[in-house]
Amino acid sequence: MHGRLKVRSPDAARRRQREEKLRLYRSAMTTLLGKEAPPDEVLALTGAVLAANPDVGTCWNLRRRALPAQSEDWVQSELAFAGTCLAVNPKSYGAWHHRAWVLARAPPPSPIPGERRLCERLLGADPRNFHAWEHRRALAGAEDAEAELAFAAELLARDFSNFSAWHHRGRLLGKLETGRLRHELELVQNAVFTDPNDQSAWVYLRCILSRASPPPRILCLYVNREDATLAAVFSRPVLVGSGQSALSVTLNGSTVEGTTWRSGEGWPRPGLTWLWDLPPDPSPPSSLHIRVTWEPGPAHHEVTLQADEDEAWWQESIVLRELFWPEVGVTDPEVLEELVGTCRELLDLEPQSRGCLLTLVLLLSVLDPLAHEDEIRRCLRALQEADPLRGGFVADVASRAEVALGLLRAETQQGRLCLQRKALSVLALPERLALVTELDVSGNRLRALPPNLGAMRRLKVLDASHNAITSLRGFPPLPCLEELNLEGNPITLPSLAPLAACPRLARLRLDATAMAAHPQVTSSLAHILPGVTIA
Amino acid sequence: SGLPESIVAAACARVGQSVLHLDSRNYYGGNWASFSFSGLLSWIKENQQKTDTSDECEDWRKLILDNEEVISLSKKDKTIQNVEDFCFGDQDSAKDVEEAGALSKLPVFGAAEAEGVAEESEKDCPPTESADTESREPEKAADTEPASAAEGKDEEITPENEGSQSTALGDSTLDLGKAEDASSEISAPEPKRITYSQIVREGRRFNIDLVSKLLYSRGLLIDLLIKSNVSRYAEFKNATRILAFRDGKVEQVPCSRADVFNSRQLTMVEKRMLMKFLTFCLEYEQHPDEYQDYESSTFAQFLRTRKLTPSLQHFILHSIAMVSETDCSTLEGLQATKKFLQCLGRYGNTPFLFPLYGQGEIPQCFCRMCAVFGGIYCLRHPVQCLVVDKGSGRCKAIVDHFGQRISAKYFIVEDSYLSDSVCTNVHYRQISRAVLITDRSVLNTDSEQQVSILTVPPMELGKPAVCVIELCSSTMTCMKDTYLVHLTCPSTNTAREDLEPAVQKLFNLNTEKETENEELEKPKVLWAVYFNMRDSSGIDKNSYNSLPSNVYVCSGPDSALGNDCAVKQAETIFREMFPTEEFCPPSPNPEDIIYDEDGVAPEEAGLSNSPETKPDTSVEEGSSEGSAALKKEDNED
């Protein structure tokens, strides 16, 4: 009835198939890369190669060169071809790029519905195909936001561990009113209570909370007669003198033409502090009224230096909620309070959840760091333990919280600020330190003193002893710095060079550093930093 | 040709043995078979009559030599008992209706017998309504009027009045079919009233399983189907939801991560507690400190200590672990929960697969595999006896009902073929089964096409829970606008006594003028059958009297939800017979098979006993329907 069957070894068959595929590929590529082939032949050969392997970039390029020469309408057939290539490899960069290239040349009617269907199909097969998400966003983003939101929600319902889908949602939501925000927060809540270890929802939560990122603005103006400079300290690093935003000065009522600004950090890149050299001062000293406008922002700030004053400043006072995480501070505090409640509830069940710990720390720091000081510290400690792999990041968050607490407690933002032994890994919020004269950051874990300390135009005494500072590279030229304590840091001699740019530096303490033991150090230092007393 | 026998047959043929597979029935699958509606009616009738065909023709005795003795095989199948069927519609109207294109599996009771069956079973039908029907005004072609169907809550709609029945049936059937299609498009939201005659006419749309099982997506059967490549002969659909029955209400059980995320019924804290507990169950072995204090308590008691709300406890105990409240230990419960959870996510958001066209497909797939590798199949071929050599005590041959003597080295017999004398020491359990055809789902949601599994906890402690599987028409087991509901539990009484309480809780059995609104909410039962099936699983071979060592016994279906028992049994038997051979190695791809002689393509060589032509739903096209082809790779990124 049945013939006795023999079985061909599948391995042999597969090997033969692969060899055949390779042979075809080689012969096609030889022809294509040889002399210029006619467009029809190029299309046929690249078509055969790409259908088998859509990742040969050369072939796509050759195709794009050959296609415009075609007489008949090639858009539809080319879209179909790219579609078959995507079926072979749905994550082929070349095929997606080619598709977008073809679409840009598509005549009406709009190909968008078809493209949307394609994305739907591919995302149905793999909801995390970020190429398909990107394609969809590029062409259908603005069309029907509600339908797109529903589409993203549907895929999240299948599996919420999908950064692309959350991102798609986030990009579609315009400015969030409280109602919409609450809806999104409910989704996040569902996700984090289902699986608090999945980071996608936590990341989305932080994204939607910090959507309304405020534009950079001037926080402080400081004018010093002796140095003949005006310093403007910004809320975020900016690059003055480029692009559309401009910093203009009105001096005693008349606009100063062609103001040139230099960075307070020593080199021209985005920075917090920008300096303008005052025009030569007539003697006897007169009073100066300076008005600074930062465009495109409408606000201007003024500072008046009286004839008998050496320095004058204007500084924005700290708004509690906008200090730690300015983007979130503008959100309805009621919503934030609710979120805090949710996080605490979840933390009761999952004391180790790092997403939850971090979110709670951020929220509490935004709402009122002073009132929640203990809870913030407790959460940060738990976070350090729960997430040792991101210890550095957590330490930075903790440092920011400590600096914020220090600032809030210091009441004024000038005079002496003590941040001793706070386990600081970074000196955060330098933009708020512009008027501090004495800064004590001893006994922390700082590895460097960052260039954005250039904001500290009035700093006279800096105690950075007993940290882990190895180098002062990039240390800004601080005009008033008189005393610097680097005791107990593993710092090396050559890296002290930037200190030479601090004109008033008189005392430098280097006890218990790597250099202290070396006999030649004193002479070398005297060479680099003449006039500085080394202790 | 039940599942274990078919697997053994396929495994033997695969390693080059000659296999002859005889079945006294005229359909594949034995008690694992599935039937069209008319096929099932015939099966019911046969099992209700139980006529003993005693053709004591002893001619074959002369084939037995002096040094041989005989073990007679039973000619009568005693595995099915207490068959009771009920029709809740107007049967008279269906008197002359024939199944469209009927080809009965049982030739004795052909399509023409449908009427007889209907009449007979009418006696069992509690609310006889023939008088009612006669007094009622003839409703002409009610099916074409969706409005009247919608209004007529308390009336059965009869498509053809007895009087107007005489016209050419074929044509009118066709016309009615069209009208139905049209009306269903217009009045989509209203559930269609399906009548008994429609069920009879559309009988071929039904594939009604005698056993009701699902495949665990990481169970032994799935592994075997994949490993052996037998999976290419079958298509599957994911069970779409897990249901629970609590406080008289049917609810959906959130069991996967996606379910918990999407659930609106759970509070945030419940979501966390449920996920936390389920995550713990997945790796409970690594956390013995969490449960070892409760090892001597029941799983239900353990659950009470886990900060789970009562509804979560119910979900876990009855719908996820699916274990008994009273006598399942903590460890067994954890094991069951773990098994359930491990099966999640392989093919979908529930752990179960159901084969399209019914569970009866599975034995046939293995038969087909066996046939591809040279096995020979004979249905309607009873066997008289086994012939045993007195000297060696080994079985040498069989004698079939033609008096033909067939020699073989190994003999595999299904338990039901063994005569009473062999089985005197064997104690069988029973399975209670019910099959209902209903008009809507026990839980209506946005999608009509749901495959649901529901555990109904025992009404009184100590009784077994009832497993309910509800199939929709896209599983190819029932006609459009109906649901096929299987109920199963280990028997304590007759099937009807065991299962009717659960049926009454879930369904509306009234045919006329329903009394309470509550009843209206429930799906209506259009037709039902109860029967007990013998559970011959787990019987030690030594319990059978004097069976030769080369005779192997396969059991009938067990009462468990999965198929592990049959696969284990088949593998054990195969390993005893051929300790050195591999069990069901991957079969080669069709294109790799070369046929020496006549070049029969493997497709043609396969067997198919079902006369239906099955619509080809390939995976690519059917993906929206959720049918899944088995693949070795898990569905991962």
Side-chain angles (χ1 to χ4, degrees), chain A residues 1-2 4-8 126 128 156-161 189-190 193-196 345 349-350, chain B residues 257-258 260-262 268-269 271-273 275-276 371-373 588 591-596 598 605 637:
Chain A
M1 195 154 70
H2 301 292
R4 290 297 301 161
L5 56 89
K6 282 183 195 159
V7 175
R8 205 184 285 138
D126 175 6
R128 298 195 213 179
L156 284 173
R158 271 180 57 188
D159 180 8
F160 62 83
S161 184
Q189 236 178 68
N190 279 334
F193 271 83
T194 304
D195 185 355
E345 195 178 19
L349 305 167
E350 297 292 327
Chain B
R257 221 169 84 109
V260 174
F261 172 67
N262 294 320
M268 289 297 155
V269 175
K271 286 184 183 205
R272 187 78 288 271
M273 294 323 295
M275 283 301 288
K276 199 172 175 150
V372 167
F373 285 89
E591 62 269 22
D592 292 331
I593 299 178
I594 310 158
Y595 292 88
D596 276 357
D598 43 14
D637 275 337

Side-chain angles (χ1 to χ4, degrees), chain A residues 188-210:
Chain A
V188 169
Q189 236 178 68
N190 279 334
V192 299
F193 271 83
T194 304
D195 185 355
N197 292 326
D198 191 288
Q199 294 304 305
S200 61
W202 290 116
V203 171
Y204 180 65
L205 172 63
R206 297 202 287 273
C207 283
I208 52 168
L209 282 180
S210 54

Side-chain angles (χ1 to χ4, degrees), chain A residues 287-307:
Chain A
S287 84
L288 292 175
H289 176 81
I290 302 170
R291 187 170 136 154
V292 178
T293 311
W294 171 242
E295 283 159 8
H300 57 264
H301 306 288
E302 294 173 14
V303 58
T304 307
L305 183 67
Q306 300 297 342

Side-chain angles (χ1 to χ4, degrees), chain B residues 364-381:
Chain B
Q364 289 184 59
C365 291
F366 284 97
C367 292
R368 184 167 180 179
M369 164 86 156
C370 175
V372 167
F373 285 89
I376 296 170
Y377 277 80
C378 299
L379 297 182
R380 246 172 289 155
H381 202 113

